[in-house]
């Protein structure tokens, strides 16, 4: 068990890290360095030797290795990003960078994504230093820059340029898993991340014949683009069950005593009620048009029109995704990935997955742990290039009515103190047994 000081420190660290504004607008102006220095100092106080690494000035990453007792064991990567998405103070009840602790809740941008987990990692490691605990496997700790944009200054840079720091790491653990999901009927789930859909952010370009808006024009770029965008937005992607999603459906159905009929997944999802949310976004690929840009005057037909589409594809479906986009865009519209990241699939029958389940179960015996696939992506995609299998495990015990998914990048992001302390206990237990 983590000691009382660890339970206090996790609150202080979360609050302190929130107060360090590391807003990442994607334009390169984010400065993670003060947060990196803060994290590195807390690690150094625990006897670790963190190194700070930058590709771009001020975009700082921190990496440290905690030596395990079994040098023949594979190492485990524990990572958290230091940047946060923007927050508009006028929209918030509490200033988003105040880190205020009010009525047992820590408020601010990063409270759940993911300065909470950064603080939990620091607290656990420091409590181990006090108690003289050493893990079995080496644990590599990485605090990264730039996760909320391209990761080019963060995990991508570390994986490309400093792979030696991650030598021996076979598995990684980071955000977006092991939080309490209430089904609305009194049951609690802890979904543990074992896969991510791939990212396919696309740019569509329609070309046509420019001309006067009053003339006949069968090659109107705006019309062509609009037609393609409509086809893409309305496309019904076919079901594609990956091993993780299949396991999730089966386990969730079993909780309700429902027979798992995977031949009619949509009917099965209907029967699962609120818990369907855990899987519905990951039973198929998706393509959501998000940006349109064309023309400059109402009576001028432009020669080109551009749209952006947020595409996501499941593991092993990228070829199919590309072929579908070729077909949906048609001959008059070109498309390309403006940003592409791979999909991930992690085994749910591994000893590490079992250890994560056990750690949650020990502190939440009334709840059900289930695997799930993330609909979006994390830094785990970057570390996958080093052969590291990524899991989503940043434990939080959230009360009913506390919608984790809505707080992610949302207004009034906040986290209960109790949730953080539960996280420290669970993370501590998992890392001791991993
Ligand atoms: Zn995050």
């Amino acid at each position: 068990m983590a000691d009382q000081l660890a339970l206090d420190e996790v609150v202080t660290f979360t609050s302190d890290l929130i107060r360090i504004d590391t807003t990442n607008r994607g334009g390169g102006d984010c400065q993670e360095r003060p947060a990196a220095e803060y994290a590195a100092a807390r690690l150094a106080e625990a006897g670790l030797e963190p190194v700070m690494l930058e590709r771009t000035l001020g975009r700082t990453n921190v990496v440290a290795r905690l030596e395990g007792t079994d040098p023949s064991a594979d190492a485990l990567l524990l990572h958290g990003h230091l940047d946060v998405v923007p927050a508009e103070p006028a929209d918030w009840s509490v200033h988003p960078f105040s880190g205020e602790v009010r009525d047992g809740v820590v408020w601010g941008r990063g409270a759940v994504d993911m300065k909470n987990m950064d603080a939990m990692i620091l607290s656990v490691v420091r409590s181990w230093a006090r108690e003289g605990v050493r893990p079995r496997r080496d644990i590599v700790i990485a605090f990264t820059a730039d996760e909320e944009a391209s990761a080019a200054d963060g995990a991508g840079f570390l994986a490309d340029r400093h792979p030696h720091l991650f030598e021996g790491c076979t598995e990684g653990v980071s955000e977006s898993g092991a939080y309490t999901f209430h089904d609305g009927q009194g049951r609690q789930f802890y979904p543990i991340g074992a896969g991510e859909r791939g990212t396919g952010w696309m740019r569509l370009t329609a070309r046509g014949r420019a001309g006067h808006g009053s003339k006949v024009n069968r090659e109107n770029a705006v019309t062509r683009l609009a037609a393609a965008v409509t086809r893409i937005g309305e496309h019904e992607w076919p079901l594609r069950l990956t091993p993780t999603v299949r396991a999730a459906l089966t386990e969730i159905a079993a909780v309700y005593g429902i027979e798992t009929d995977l031949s009619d997944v949509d009917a099965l999802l209907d029967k699962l009620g609120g818990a369907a949310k855990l899987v519905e976004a990951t039973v198929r690929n998706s393509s959501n048009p998000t940006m349109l840009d064309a023309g400059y005057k109402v009576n001028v037909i432009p020669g080109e029109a551009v749209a952006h589409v947020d595409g996501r594809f499941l593991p092993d479906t990228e070829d199919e995704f590309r072929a579908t986009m070729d077909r949906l865009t048609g001959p008059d519209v070109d498309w390309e990935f403006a940003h592409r990241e791979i999909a991930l699939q992690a085994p749910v029958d591994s000893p590490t997955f079992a250890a994560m389940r056990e750690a949650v179960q020990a502190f939440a015996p009334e709840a059900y742990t289930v695997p799930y696939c993330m609909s979006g992506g994390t830094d785990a995609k970057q570390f996958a290039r080093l052969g590291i299998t990524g899991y989503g495990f940043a434990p939080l015990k959230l009360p009913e009515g506390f919608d984790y998914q809505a707080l992610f990048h949302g207004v009034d992001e906040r986290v209960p103190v109790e949730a953080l302390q539960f996280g420290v206990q669970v993370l501590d237990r998992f890392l001791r047994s991993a």
Side-chain angles (χ1 to χ4, degrees):
M1 292 278 281
D3 60 14
Q4 185 57 46
L5 183 52
L7 302 184
D8 295 340
E9 281 191 344
V10 72
V11 181
T12 308
F13 295 165
T14 302
S15 174
D16 285 353
L17 284 166
I18 288 170
R19 274 202 294 275
I20 304 172
D21 182 348
T22 52
T23 300
N24 189 347
R25 291 180 184 80
D29 61 345
C30 179
Q31 291 287 296
E32 288 91 349
R33 188 186 281 170
E37 284 171 346
Y38 181 93
R42 303 291 84 76
L43 291 174
E45 285 163 4
L48 278 77
E49 294 171 8
V51 290
M52 301 219 266
L53 306 123
E54 290 180 345
R55 184 185 79 136
T56 305
L57 200 68
R59 310 299 310 271
T60 317
N61 301 273
V62 180
V63 182
R65 184 178 286 254
L66 192 57
E67 226 170 272
T69 54
D70 179 359
S72 69
D74 294 329
L76 178 73
L77 170 63
L78 192 55
H79 58 106
H81 61 84
L82 296 168
D83 59 329
V84 294
V85 293
E88 185 49 60
D91 299 336
W92 286 55
S93 316
V94 169
H95 194 283
F97 300 103
S98 67
E100 191 175 320
V101 186
R102 184 193 284 183
D103 302 328
V105 175
V106 186
W107 290 69
R109 179 57 85 219
V112 300
D113 182 18
M114 64 174 295
K115 287 174 168 172
N116 58 323
M117 175 68 163
D118 297 336
M120 282 155 47
I121 294 170
L122 293 171
S123 307
V124 169
V125 167
R126 289 161 62 90
S127 78
W128 286 9
R130 288 192 293 278
E131 292 177 50
V133 174
R134 276 179 66 192
R136 184 179 64 86
R137 316 163 70 167
D138 276 15
I139 296 178
V140 175
I141 295 159
F143 295 115
T144 60
D146 205 23
E147 193 271 347
E148 298 291 3
S150 68
D153 281 315
F157 157 69
L158 293 177
D160 288 343
R161 301 290 305 280
H162 298 281
H164 60 282
L165 293 172
F166 305 95
E167 210 171 283
C169 289
T170 53
E171 295 171 308
V173 164
S174 191
E175 64 184 318
S176 302
Y179 58 91
T180 323
F181 176 89
H182 296 269
D183 74 345
Q185 303 163 59
R187 286 193 183 77
Q188 296 175 24
F189 292 89
Y190 284 80
I192 297 173
E196 299 181 359
R197 294 199 301 174
T199 309
W201 290 341
M202 295 167 283
R203 180 187 155 89
L204 273 54
T205 309
R207 293 205 170 74
R209 184 162 52 80
H212 197 287
S214 70
K215 303 295 182 195
V216 174
N217 190 329
R218 308 254 176 248
E219 298 151 71
N220 184 321
V222 175
T223 308
R224 288 172 168 177
L225 182 77
V229 163
T230 302
R231 287 193 294 272
I232 291 165
E234 291 182 342
H235 183 63
E236 304 265 357
W237 290 89
L239 279 164
R240 292 289 177 259
L241 293 187
T242 66
T244 295
V245 175
R246 199 174 282 268
L249 279 168
T250 307
E251 291 192 29
I252 295 167
V255 167
Y256 295 103
I258 296 167
E259 204 187 320
T260 317
D261 179 6
L262 294 178
S263 67
D264 191 350
V265 169
D266 288 313
L268 179 59
L269 285 173
D270 280 344
K271 289 186 201 153
L272 295 182
K277 268 210 178 75
L278 290 170
V279 276
E280 65 189 9
T282 55
V283 296
R284 38 173 66 91
N285 296 334
S286 62
S287 54
N288 279 311
T290 46
M291 293 160 72
L292 289 169
D293 186 22
Y296 53 91
K297 196 165 187 304
V298 68
N299 59 351
V300 179
I301 299 168
E304 190 180 291
V306 172
H308 288 258
V309 176
D310 182 344
R312 309 284 175 153
F313 49 86
L314 285 153
D316 296 324
T317 68
E318 188 177 341
D319 289 344
E320 180 193 357
F321 184 87
R322 286 173 184 268
T324 304
M325 285 304 300
D326 285 343
R327 183 164 58 76
L328 294 175
T329 47
D332 302 320
V333 179
D334 295 331
W335 73 274
E336 61 182 353
F337 282 134
H339 182 76
R340 172 197 163 270
E341 298 282 359
I342 55 170
L344 302 179
Q345 170 68 40
V348 301
D349 56 358
S350 64
T352 299
F353 196 84
M356 290 189 286
R357 280 195 203 254
E358 192 280 332
V360 170
Q361 222 72 73
F363 292 94
E366 72 289 0
Y368 302 93
T369 56
V370 293
Y372 91 118
C373 176
M374 292 178 223
S375 58
T378 72
D379 271 348
K381 293 186 188 311
Q382 311 299 325
F383 291 119
R385 297 209 292 274
L386 302 177
I388 299 172
T389 300
Y391 289 106
F393 187 75
L396 283 182
K397 186 186 185 72
L398 299 170
E400 184 132 39
F402 217 93
D403 187 347
Y404 177 79
Q405 297 295 347
L407 292 172
F408 236 80
H409 297 194
V411 168
D412 283 345
E413 186 177 345
R414 61 197 186 278
V415 65
V417 165
E418 263 180 60
L420 294 171
Q421 295 178 332
F422 168 89
V424 167
Q425 298 289 21
V426 173
L427 188 63
D428 169 78
R429 186 180 177 101
F430 160 64
L431 292 174
R432 283 178 195 238
S433 66

